[in-house]
Coordinates of all heavy atoms in Angstrom, one line a residue:
M1 N 131.3 155.9 54.0 CA 130.8 156.4 55.2 C 131.3 155.6 56.4 O 131.4 154.4 56.3 CB 129.3 156.4 55.2 CG 128.7 156.9 56.5 SD 126.9 156.8 56.5 CE 126.5 158.5 56.2
N2 N 131.7 156.3 57.5 CA 132.2 155.7 58.7 C 131.1 155.7 59.7 O 130.3 156.6 59.8 CB 133.4 156.4 59.2 CG 134.6 156.3 58.2 OD1 134.8 155.3 57.6 ND2 135.3 157.4 58.1
K3 N 131.1 154.7 60.6 CA 130.2 154.6 61.7 C 131.0 154.6 63.0 O 131.9 153.8 63.1 CB 129.3 153.4 61.6 CG 128.3 153.3 62.6 CD 127.5 152.0 62.4 CE 126.3 151.9 63.4 NZ 125.5 150.8 63.1
V4 N 130.6 155.5 64.0 CA 131.3 155.5 65.2 C 130.2 155.4 66.3 O 129.1 156.0 66.3 CB 132.0 156.9 65.4 CG1 132.6 157.0 66.8 CG2 133.0 157.1 64.3
I5 N 130.5 154.6 67.3 CA 129.6 154.4 68.5 C 130.3 154.9 69.7 O 131.4 154.4 70.0 CB 129.2 152.9 68.7 CG1 128.4 152.5 67.4 CG2 128.3 152.8 69.9 CD1 128.1 151.0 67.4
L6 N 129.8 155.9 70.3 CA 130.4 156.5 71.5 C 129.5 156.3 72.7 O 128.3 156.5 72.6 CB 130.6 158.0 71.3 CG 131.5 158.5 70.2 CD1 131.4 160.0 70.0 CD2 132.9 158.0 70.5
I7 N 130.0 155.9 73.8 CA 129.3 155.8 75.1 C 130.0 156.6 76.1 O 131.2 156.4 76.4 CB 129.2 154.3 75.5 CG1 128.5 153.5 74.4 CG2 128.4 154.2 76.9 CD1 128.5 152.0 74.7
G8 N 129.3 157.5 76.7 CA 129.9 158.4 77.7 C 128.8 159.2 78.4 O 127.6 158.9 78.3
N9 N 129.2 160.2 79.1 CA 128.3 161.1 79.9 C 128.4 162.5 79.4 O 129.4 163.0 79.0 CB 128.7 161.0 81.4 CG 128.6 159.7 81.9 OD1 129.4 158.8 81.7 ND2 127.5 159.5 82.7
L10 N 127.2 163.2 79.5 CA 127.1 164.6 79.1 C 127.9 165.4 80.1 O 127.8 165.2 81.3 CB 125.7 165.1 79.0 CG 125.0 165.0 77.6 CD1 124.9 163.6 77.1 CD2 123.7 165.6 77.7
T11 N 128.7 166.4 79.6 CA 129.5 167.2 80.5 C 128.6 168.4 81.0 O 129.0 169.0 82.0 CB 130.7 167.8 79.8 OG1 130.3 168.5 78.6 CG2 131.6 166.6 79.3
K12 N 127.6 168.8 80.3 CA 126.7 169.9 80.7 C 125.3 169.7 80.0 O 125.2 168.8 79.2 CB 127.3 171.3 80.4 CG 127.5 171.5 79.0 CD 128.1 172.9 78.7 CE 128.4 173.1 77.3 NZ 129.0 174.4 77.0
D13 N 124.3 170.4 80.4 CA 123.0 170.3 79.8 C 123.1 170.7 78.3 O 123.8 171.6 77.9 CB 122.0 171.3 80.5 CG 121.7 170.9 81.9 OD1 121.8 169.7 82.2 OD2 121.3 171.7 82.7
P14 N 122.3 169.9 77.5 CA 122.3 170.2 76.1 C 121.7 171.6 75.8 O 120.9 172.1 76.5 CB 121.3 169.1 75.5 CG 121.2 168.1 76.6 CD 121.5 168.8 77.8
Q15 N 122.2 172.2 74.7 CA 121.8 173.5 74.2 C 120.9 173.3 73.0 O 121.4 173.1 71.9 CB 123.0 174.4 73.9 CG 123.8 174.6 75.2 CD 125.1 175.4 74.8 OE1 125.5 175.4 73.7 NE2 125.7 176.1 75.8
A16 N 119.6 173.4 73.2 CA 118.7 173.3 72.1 C 118.4 174.6 71.4 O 118.4 175.6 72.1 CB 117.3 172.7 72.6
G17 N 118.1 174.5 70.1 CA 117.9 175.7 69.4 C 117.2 175.4 68.0 O 116.9 174.3 67.7
I18 N 116.9 176.4 67.3 CA 116.2 176.3 66.0 C 117.0 177.1 65.0 O 117.4 178.3 65.3 CB 114.8 176.9 66.0 CG1 113.9 176.2 67.1 CG2 114.1 176.8 64.7 CD1 113.5 174.8 66.7
T19 N 117.3 176.6 63.8 CA 118.0 177.3 62.8 C 117.1 178.3 62.1 O 115.9 178.2 62.3 CB 118.5 176.3 61.7 OG1 117.4 175.7 61.0 CG2 119.4 175.2 62.3
P20 N 117.6 179.2 61.3 CA 116.8 180.2 60.6 C 115.8 179.5 59.7 O 114.7 180.1 59.3 CB 117.8 181.0 59.8 CG 119.0 180.9 60.6 CD 119.0 179.5 61.2
N21 N 116.0 178.2 59.3 CA 115.1 177.5 58.4 C 114.2 176.6 59.2 O 113.6 175.7 58.6 CB 115.9 176.6 57.5 CG 116.8 177.4 56.5 OD1 116.4 178.5 56.1 ND2 117.9 176.9 56.1
D22 N 114.0 176.9 60.5 CA 113.1 176.2 61.4 C 113.4 174.7 61.5 O 112.5 173.9 61.6 CB 111.6 176.4 60.9 CG 111.1 177.8 61.1 OD1 111.6 178.4 62.1 OD2 110.2 178.2 60.4
I23 N 114.7 174.4 61.6 CA 115.1 173.0 61.8 C 115.7 172.9 63.3 O 116.5 173.8 63.6 CB 116.2 172.6 60.8 CG1 115.6 172.6 59.4 CG2 116.7 171.2 61.1 CD1 116.6 172.4 58.3
A24 N 115.2 172.0 64.1 CA 115.7 171.8 65.4 C 117.1 171.3 65.4 O 117.5 170.4 64.7 CB 114.8 170.9 66.2
V25 N 117.9 171.9 66.3 CA 119.3 171.4 66.5 C 119.7 171.5 68.0 O 119.2 172.4 68.7 CB 120.3 172.2 65.6 CG1 120.3 173.7 66.0 CG2 121.7 171.7 65.7
T26 N 120.4 170.5 68.5 CA 120.8 170.4 69.9 C 122.3 170.1 69.9 O 122.7 169.1 69.3 CB 120.0 169.4 70.7 OG1 118.6 169.7 70.6 CG2 120.4 169.3 72.1
H27 N 123.0 170.9 70.7 CA 124.5 170.7 70.8 C 124.8 170.2 72.2 O 124.2 170.7 73.2 CB 125.2 172.0 70.5 CG 125.1 172.5 69.2 ND1 125.8 172.0 68.1 CD2 124.2 173.4 68.6 CE1 125.5 172.6 67.0 NE2 124.5 173.5 67.3
F28 N 125.7 169.2 72.3 CA 126.1 168.8 73.6 C 127.5 168.1 73.5 O 128.0 167.8 72.4 CB 125.1 167.8 74.3 CG 124.7 166.6 73.4 CD1 125.4 165.4 73.5 CD2 123.7 166.7 72.6 CE1 125.1 164.3 72.7 CE2 123.3 165.6 71.8 CZ 124.0 164.4 71.9
T29 N 128.2 167.9 74.6 CA 129.5 167.3 74.7 C 129.5 166.1 75.5 O 128.9 166.0 76.6 CB 130.5 168.3 75.3 OG1 130.5 169.5 74.5 CG2 131.9 167.7 75.3
I30 N 130.1 165.0 75.0 CA 130.2 163.7 75.6 C 131.6 163.5 76.1 O 132.5 163.7 75.3 CB 129.8 162.6 74.7 CG1 128.3 162.8 74.2 CG2 129.9 161.2 75.4 CD1 128.0 161.7 73.1
A31 N 131.7 163.1 77.4 CA 133.0 162.7 77.9 C 133.1 161.2 77.9 O 132.3 160.5 78.4 CB 133.2 163.2 79.3
V32 N 134.2 160.7 77.2 CA 134.3 159.2 77.0 C 135.7 158.8 77.6 O 136.7 159.3 77.2 CB 134.3 158.8 75.5 CG1 134.5 157.3 75.4 CG2 133.0 159.2 74.9
R33 N 135.6 158.0 78.6 CA 136.9 157.6 79.3 C 137.5 156.4 78.5 O 136.7 155.4 78.2 CB 136.6 157.2 80.7 CG 137.8 156.9 81.5 CD 137.5 156.8 83.0 NE 138.7 156.4 83.7 CZ 138.8 156.2 84.9 NH1 137.7 156.2 85.7 NH2 139.9 155.9 85.5
R34 N 138.8 156.4 78.3 CA 139.4 155.3 77.6 C 139.6 154.1 78.6 O 139.8 154.2 79.8 CB 140.8 155.7 77.2 CG 140.8 156.8 76.1 CD 142.2 157.1 75.7 NE 142.2 158.3 74.8 CZ 143.2 158.7 74.1 NH1 144.4 158.1 74.2 NH2 143.1 159.8 73.4
D35 N 139.5 152.9 78.0 CA 139.6 151.7 78.8 C 141.0 151.4 79.3 O 141.2 150.8 80.3 CB 139.1 150.5 78.0 CG 137.6 150.4 77.8 OD1 136.9 151.0 78.6 OD2 137.2 149.8 76.8
F36 N 142.0 151.9 78.5 CA 143.4 151.5 78.8 C 144.1 152.6 79.5 O 145.4 152.6 79.5 CB 144.1 151.2 77.5 CG 143.9 152.2 76.4 CD1 144.8 153.3 76.4 CD2 142.9 152.1 75.5 CE1 144.7 154.3 75.4 CE2 142.8 153.1 74.5 CZ 143.7 154.2 74.4
G37 N 143.5 153.5 80.2 CA 144.2 154.5 80.9 C 143.3 155.5 81.7 O 142.1 155.3 81.8
E38 N 143.9 156.5 82.2 CA 143.2 157.5 83.0 C 142.7 158.7 82.1 O 142.3 159.7 82.6 CB 144.0 158.0 84.1 CG 144.4 156.9 85.1 CD 143.2 156.4 85.9 OE1 142.3 157.2 86.2 OE2 143.1 155.2 86.1
E39 N 142.9 158.6 80.8 CA 142.5 159.7 79.9 C 141.1 159.7 79.6 O 140.4 158.7 79.5 CB 143.4 159.6 78.7 CG 144.9 159.7 78.9 CD 145.7 159.6 77.6 OE1 145.2 160.2 76.6 OE2 146.7 159.0 77.7
T40 N 140.6 160.9 79.3 CA 139.2 161.1 78.9 C 139.2 161.9 77.6 O 139.9 162.9 77.5 CB 138.4 161.8 80.0 OG1 138.4 161.1 81.2 CG2 136.9 162.0 79.6
D41 N 138.4 161.5 76.7 CA 138.2 162.2 75.4 C 136.9 162.9 75.4 O 135.9 162.4 76.0 CB 138.3 161.3 74.2 CG 139.7 160.7 74.0 OD1 140.7 161.4 74.1 OD2 139.8 159.4 73.9
F42 N 136.8 164.1 74.8 CA 135.6 164.9 74.8 C 135.2 165.0 73.3 O 136.0 165.4 72.5 CB 135.8 166.3 75.4 CG 136.1 166.2 76.9 CD1 137.4 166.1 77.3 CD2 135.1 166.1 77.8 CE1 137.7 166.0 78.6 CE2 135.4 166.0 79.2 CZ 136.7 166.0 79.6
F43 N 133.9 164.8 73.0 CA 133.4 164.8 71.7 C 132.2 165.8 71.6 O 131.2 165.7 72.4 CB 132.9 163.5 71.2 CG 134.0 162.5 71.1 CD1 134.3 161.7 72.2 CD2 134.7 162.3 69.9 CE1 135.3 160.7 72.1 CE2 135.7 161.4 69.8 CZ 136.0 160.6 70.9
N44 N 132.3 166.8 70.7 CA 131.2 167.7 70.5 C 130.2 167.1 69.5 O 130.6 166.6 68.5 CB 131.7 169.0 69.9 CG 132.6 169.8 70.9 OD1 132.3 169.8 72.1 ND2 133.6 170.3 70.4
V45 N 128.9 167.1 69.9 CA 127.9 166.4 69.1 C 126.8 167.4 68.7 O 126.4 168.3 69.5 CB 127.3 165.2 69.9 CG1 126.2 164.5 69.1 CG2 128.3 164.3 70.3
A46 N 126.3 167.3 67.5 CA 125.1 168.1 67.1 C 124.1 167.1 66.6 O 124.3 166.3 65.7 CB 125.5 169.0 65.9
A47 N 122.9 167.2 67.2 CA 121.8 166.3 66.8 C 120.8 167.2 66.1 O 120.6 168.4 66.4 CB 121.1 165.7 68.0
W48 N 120.1 166.7 65.1 CA 119.2 167.4 64.2 C 117.8 166.9 64.2 O 117.6 165.7 64.5 CB 119.7 167.4 62.8 CG 121.1 168.1 62.6 CD1 122.3 167.5 62.8 CD2 121.3 169.5 62.4 NE1 123.3 168.5 62.6 CE2 122.7 169.7 62.4 CE3 120.4 170.6 62.2 CZ2 123.2 170.9 62.2 CZ3 121.0 171.8 62.0 CH2 122.4 172.0 62.0
R49 N 116.8 167.7 63.9 CA 115.4 167.4 63.7 C 114.8 166.7 65.0 O 114.9 167.2 66.1 CB 115.2 166.7 62.4 CG 115.6 167.6 61.2 CD 115.3 166.8 59.9 NE 115.5 167.7 58.8 CZ 116.7 168.0 58.2 NH1 117.8 167.5 58.7 NH2 116.7 168.8 57.2
K50 N 114.1 165.6 64.8 CA 113.4 165.0 65.9 C 114.4 164.4 66.9 O 114.1 164.5 68.1 CB 112.6 163.8 65.3 CG 111.6 163.2 66.3 CD 110.6 164.1 66.8 CE 109.6 163.4 67.7 NZ 108.7 164.4 68.3
T51 N 115.5 164.0 66.5 CA 116.5 163.5 67.5 C 117.0 164.7 68.4 O 117.1 164.5 69.6 CB 117.8 162.9 66.8 OG1 117.3 161.9 65.9 CG2 118.8 162.4 67.7
A52 N 117.1 165.9 67.8 CA 117.5 167.1 68.5 C 116.4 167.4 69.6 O 116.7 167.7 70.7 CB 117.7 168.2 67.6
E53 N 115.1 167.3 69.2 CA 114.0 167.6 70.1 C 114.1 166.6 71.3 O 113.9 167.0 72.4 CB 112.7 167.5 69.3 CG 112.5 168.6 68.3 CD 111.3 168.4 67.4 OE1 110.4 167.5 67.8 OE2 111.1 169.1 66.4
N54 N 114.3 165.4 71.0 CA 114.3 164.4 72.1 C 115.5 164.5 73.0 O 115.4 164.4 74.2 CB 114.3 162.9 71.5 CG 113.0 162.6 70.9 OD1 111.9 163.1 71.3 ND2 113.0 161.7 69.9
C55 N 116.7 164.9 72.4 CA 117.9 165.1 73.2 C 117.6 166.3 74.2 O 118.0 166.3 75.3 CB 119.1 165.4 72.4 SG 119.7 163.9 71.5
G56 N 117.1 167.4 73.6 CA 116.8 168.6 74.4 C 115.8 168.3 75.5 O 115.9 168.9 76.6
K57 N 114.9 167.4 75.3 CA 113.8 167.1 76.2 C 114.2 166.2 77.3 O 113.9 166.4 78.5 CB 112.6 166.5 75.4 CG 111.3 166.6 76.1 CD 110.2 166.0 75.4 CE 110.0 166.5 74.0 NZ 108.8 166.0 73.3
Y58 N 115.0 165.2 77.0 CA 115.3 164.1 77.9 C 116.7 164.0 78.5 O 116.9 163.3 79.5 CB 115.0 162.7 77.3 CG 113.5 162.6 76.9 CD1 113.1 162.6 75.6 CD2 112.5 162.5 77.9 CE1 111.8 162.4 75.2 CE2 111.2 162.4 77.5 CZ 110.8 162.4 76.2 OH 109.5 162.3 75.8
L59 N 117.6 164.7 77.9 CA 119.0 164.6 78.4 C 119.3 165.8 79.4 O 118.8 166.9 79.2 CB 120.0 164.6 77.3 CG 119.9 163.4 76.3 CD1 121.0 163.5 75.2 CD2 120.1 162.1 77.0
K60 N 120.2 165.5 80.3 CA 120.7 166.5 81.2 C 122.2 166.2 81.6 O 122.7 165.1 81.2 CB 119.9 166.6 82.5 CG 119.8 165.4 83.3 CD 119.0 165.5 84.5 CE 119.1 164.2 85.3 NZ 118.6 164.3 86.6
K61 N 122.8 167.1 82.2 CA 124.2 166.9 82.6 C 124.4 165.6 83.4 O 123.6 165.3 84.3 CB 124.7 168.1 83.5 CG 126.1 168.0 84.0 CD 126.5 169.1 84.9 CE 127.9 168.9 85.3 NZ 128.4 170.1 86.2
G62 N 125.4 164.8 83.0 CA 125.6 163.5 83.6 C 124.9 162.4 83.0 O 125.2 161.2 83.3
S63 N 123.9 162.6 82.1 CA 123.2 161.5 81.4 C 124.2 160.6 80.7 O 125.1 161.1 80.0 CB 122.2 162.0 80.5 OG 121.2 162.8 81.1
K64 N 124.0 159.3 80.8 CA 124.8 158.4 80.0 C 124.1 158.3 78.6 O 122.9 158.1 78.5 CB 124.8 157.0 80.6 CG 125.4 156.0 79.8 CD 126.7 155.3 80.3 CE 127.2 155.4 81.6 NZ 128.6 155.3 81.6
V65 N 124.9 158.5 77.6 CA 124.4 158.4 76.2 C 125.4 157.5 75.4 O 126.5 157.3 75.7 CB 124.3 159.8 75.5 CG1 123.2 160.6 76.1 CG2 125.6 160.5 75.5

């Protein structure tokens, strides 16, 4: 298993939803600027269950995560 730590800002408000099996899921995109240049990488993230509920409740566009 690999572990990745990303620090960046949300590009837009998270999109919270519920799967057909009643599991909470929240989708959002993080913009991460590289230290060694002017480039920015974008990462699509899916949070599940309680983490998804908290992301949908507390995060908004521009939030640092």
Side-chain angles (χ1 to χ4, degrees):
M1 176 182 257
N2 295 322
K3 182 177 184 177
V4 176
I5 299 174
L6 300 171
I7 300 173
N9 296 75
L10 266 63
T11 59
K12 59 182 178 179
D13 290 335
Q15 298 174 337
I18 302 289
T19 66
N21 295 330
D22 290 330
I23 298 172
V25 61
T26 299
H27 296 277
F28 54 92
T29 302
I30 301 174
V32 178
R33 187 169 179 184
R34 295 185 188 187
D35 287 336
F36 52 84
E38 296 294 320
E39 297 180 40
T40 302
D41 294 313
F42 297 91
F43 296 90
N44 295 320
V45 179
W48 296 89
R49 296 183 172 81
K50 188 65 174 174
T51 303
E53 293 173 11
N54 289 332
C55 288
K57 201 182 300 185
Y58 297 111
L59 297 180
K60 61 180 183 168
K61 180 181 178 178
S63 296
K64 173 117 12 212
V65 292

